[in-house]
Amino acid sequence: MKKKLVVLMLAAAMVVSTVACGSSGGSSGGSSDGGGDNKSESADVANKDKPLVWFNRQPSNSSTGELDKTALNFNKDTYYVGFDANQGAELQGQMVKDYIEANIDKIDRNGDGTIGYVLAIGDIGHNDSIARTRGVRKALGTAVEKDGNVVSDPVGTNKDGSAKAVKDGKIGNLVVRELASQEMKNSAGATWDAATAGNAIGTWSSSFGEEIDIVVSNNDGMGMSMFNAWSSDNKVPTFGYDANSDAVAAIAEGYGGTISQHADVQAYLTLRVLRNALDGVDVDTGIGTADEAGNVLTENEYVYKEDERSYYALNVAVTSENYKDFTDSTVVWEPVSKQLDEKTSPKKKVWLNIYNASDNFLSSTYQPLLQNYDDLLNLEVEYIGGDGQTESNITNRFGNPGEYDAFAINMVKTDNAASYTSILNQ
């Protein structure tokens, strides 16, 4: 009853205000007094003018990697948030190489003079997957270049070293050979598929046996599937990417290492750029410049590339030496963990999708972080989980953009930004 009385009083106050001052149009920024009818403000702004952040999958050509500048410049409040894929890829490759060098006297399991590795590729058309494959091959000396770029194609099997996409490398007195690699794509079309990777390691181990000395994966989801299915029992070091909690914990059990892409910083940036646009403040607020609550990041944690309108979190190698610092991947980053004042940053509604609700990294690490930050940033986020296979599975649930103040989009394929912007342009 008390709540109802307050609502009636507020409604009466709004009527008086309208009579005295006249109606005013909405804007893409939040009102400075923290009041107002959020739904009507949202309706007053055209969907094409509302803040938009692409995250995790950067709008780009899946064949060439060329950025989709049209999507990245959809409106003045459009940005991309991800991580520095090339820096992370180099770190992963160096991590594997460092492990080999540190264990050079015992790494060759069958003593044949060759370090054989197998590689699980997530998505042959995904920029991050391409970068990680290239990073490993470059570090291990197995890279082949074509048109100035390291070839990232899967080799299938390469027992005799005759594959054209790779060559034999050398570390110390040992030959390094990519014995096998394939895209982990299931029969339904979903990529980065952990179950497919688990099946693949079974096939590879049957074919190569003790020739496999190292297992490498484009992510921890596939890496852990192979580790649990075969590598752990056979004491073969396995290297992944993402620093998922289960992978970090498995380092104590022989998992070789992983890469933290600073998901805590990424998740914060994903929502922070939207918050800043909604509040009508400089986009750097709470990022490179401290906000009123004291939230701020350092140059060791992210980079911003203005020409790409993209924020990239920096990566950290997680190994047996430091893994205990990364055991909980869903804890918010302390320097940006302070609550915003709802008077200056009023509640706003955000539509956000995860391309695949079954993706291990996004579902077990990224979304929980987003859910921690949305409260701190006073954002009411609706989370939509896709099937990882078709864009329509997500866009079919994007039929009411007028109800939201901002959007955060994680595409199934990096080519498909127009599937979303066409809806916002209606």
Side-chain angles (χ1 to χ4, degrees), residues 360-381:
N360 188 269
F361 168 65
L362 290 171
S363 62
S364 67
T365 300
Y366 211 104
Q367 184 168 328
L369 282 165
L370 289 168
Q371 290 170 324
N372 287 332
Y373 282 119
D374 62 19
D375 289 333
L376 294 174
L377 298 174
N378 302 326
L379 295 173
E380 296 178 0
V381 181

Side-chain angles (χ1 to χ4, degrees), residues 153-173:
D153 299 337
V155 301
T157 57
N158 183 38
K159 188 178 181 69
D160 62 0
S162 63
K164 302 299 183 184
V166 293
K167 65 181 181 182
D168 284 351
K170 195 166 188 179
I171 295 179
N173 294 320

Side-chain angles (χ1 to χ4, degrees), residues 5 54 66 85 126 138 168 176 182 185 198 215 228 288 296 410:
L5 180 59
W54 309 98
E66 182 181 1
H126 191 298
K138 186 175 181 179
D168 284 351
V176 181
Q182 74 177 62
K185 185 176 184 177
V215 175
N228 291 328
V296 68
N410 174 220

Side-chain angles (χ1 to χ4, degrees), residues 115-175:
I115 302 170
Y117 73 92
V118 293
L119 174 64
I121 296 174
D123 180 345
I124 58 174
H126 191 298
N127 282 0
D128 296 342
S129 189
I130 291 169
R132 294 171 198 177
T133 297
R134 287 173 173 170
V136 168
R137 289 176 176 173
K138 186 175 181 179
L140 300 185
T142 58
V144 170
E145 289 195 9
K146 181 180 181 181
D147 299 327
N149 293 311
V150 172
V151 176
S152 60
D153 299 337
V155 301
T157 57
N158 183 38
K159 188 178 181 69
D160 62 0
S162 63
K164 302 299 183 184
V166 293
K167 65 181 181 182
D168 284 351
K170 195 166 188 179
I171 295 179
N173 294 320
L174 299 176
V175 172

Side-chain angles (χ1 to χ4, degrees), residues 181-423:
S181 55
Q182 74 177 62
E183 180 184 40
M184 298 305 167
K185 185 176 184 177
N186 67 21
S187 58
T191 53
W192 304 87
D193 189 63
T196 301
N199 292 332
I201 195 64
T203 300
W204 289 339
S205 61
S206 295
S207 300
F208 301 112
E210 289 195 349
E211 292 179 60
I212 302 176
D213 302 304
I214 296 280
V215 175
V216 187
S217 174
N218 280 174
N219 77 355
D220 281 333
M222 300 181 299
M224 282 299 294
S225 182
M226 295 188 292
F227 183 73
N228 291 328
W230 180 79
S231 306
S232 179
D233 289 342
N234 289 275
K235 310 299 182 186
V236 175
T238 301
F239 297 86
Y241 202 113
D242 288 336
N244 290 343
S245 294
D246 60 341
V248 173
I251 291 176
E253 307 300 323
Y255 197 71
T258 182
I259 299 294
S260 168
Q261 52 175 278
H262 245 322
D264 45 8
V265 172
Q266 285 188 69
Y268 173 74
L269 287 169
T270 298
L271 297 181
R272 184 73 210 213
V273 295
L274 296 179
R275 180 76 264 176
N276 289 344
L278 291 167
D279 290 346
V281 300
D282 189 281
V283 70
D284 195 48
T285 303
I287 300 175
T289 304
D291 61 18
E292 292 182 357
N295 295 303
V296 68
L297 296 170
T298 71
E299 61 183 14
N300 295 323
E301 294 150 5
Y302 82 101
V303 293
Y304 174 59
K305 296 185 179 179
E306 186 175 5
D307 61 323
E308 299 176 1
R309 295 187 66 81
S310 297
Y311 284 90
Y312 301 103
L314 298 180
N315 304 265
V316 181
V318 182
T319 66
S320 60
E321 296 180 356
N322 66 345
Y323 77 95
K324 292 181 180 179
D325 297 332
F326 295 85
T327 52
D328 188 346
S329 62
T330 62
V331 175
V332 298
W333 189 239
E334 194 279 330
V336 288
S337 60
K338 300 173 184 66
Q339 179 74 48
L340 296 190
D341 187 341
E342 197 169 338
K343 292 181 180 179
T344 53
S345 295
K347 290 283 186 182
K348 296 290 181 179
K349 292 183 66 176
V350 175
W351 187 95
L352 182 150
N353 83 282
I354 300 294
Y355 92 101
N356 185 355
S358 299
D359 182 278
N360 188 269
F361 168 65
L362 290 171
S363 62
S364 67
T365 300
Y366 211 104
Q367 184 168 328
L369 282 165
L370 289 168
Q371 290 170 324
N372 287 332
Y373 282 119
D374 62 19
D375 289 333
L376 294 174
L377 298 174
N378 302 326
L379 295 173
E380 296 178 0
V381 181
E382 181 173 350
Y383 295 92
I384 305 295
D387 62 5
Q389 301 167 33
T390 60
E391 223 72 59
S392 60
N393 181 265
I394 301 167
T395 55
N396 286 344
R397 289 177 282 170
F398 196 33
N400 56 342
E403 294 186 11
Y404 302 91
D405 300 293
F407 312 99
I409 295 174
N410 174 220
M411 297 173 285
V412 175
K413 291 294 183 183
T414 61
D415 307 89
N416 290 341
S419 298
Y420 300 87
T421 55
S422 63
I423 295 173

Side-chain angles (χ1 to χ4, degrees), residues 77-124:
D77 291 321
T78 297
Y79 296 91
Y80 169 73
V81 170
F83 64 101
D84 192 323
N86 292 325
Q87 180 245 356
E90 290 173 4
L91 268 183
Q92 187 188 33
Q94 189 62 47
M95 176 176 62
V96 178
K97 182 182 179 184
D98 288 346
Y99 184 93
I100 292 172
E101 291 177 337
N103 296 275
I104 196 71
D105 296 333
K106 56 184 178 182
I107 193 71
D108 183 7
R109 293 202 304 148
N110 65 355
D112 65 353
T114 299
I115 302 170
Y117 73 92
V118 293
L119 174 64
I121 296 174
D123 180 345
I124 58 174

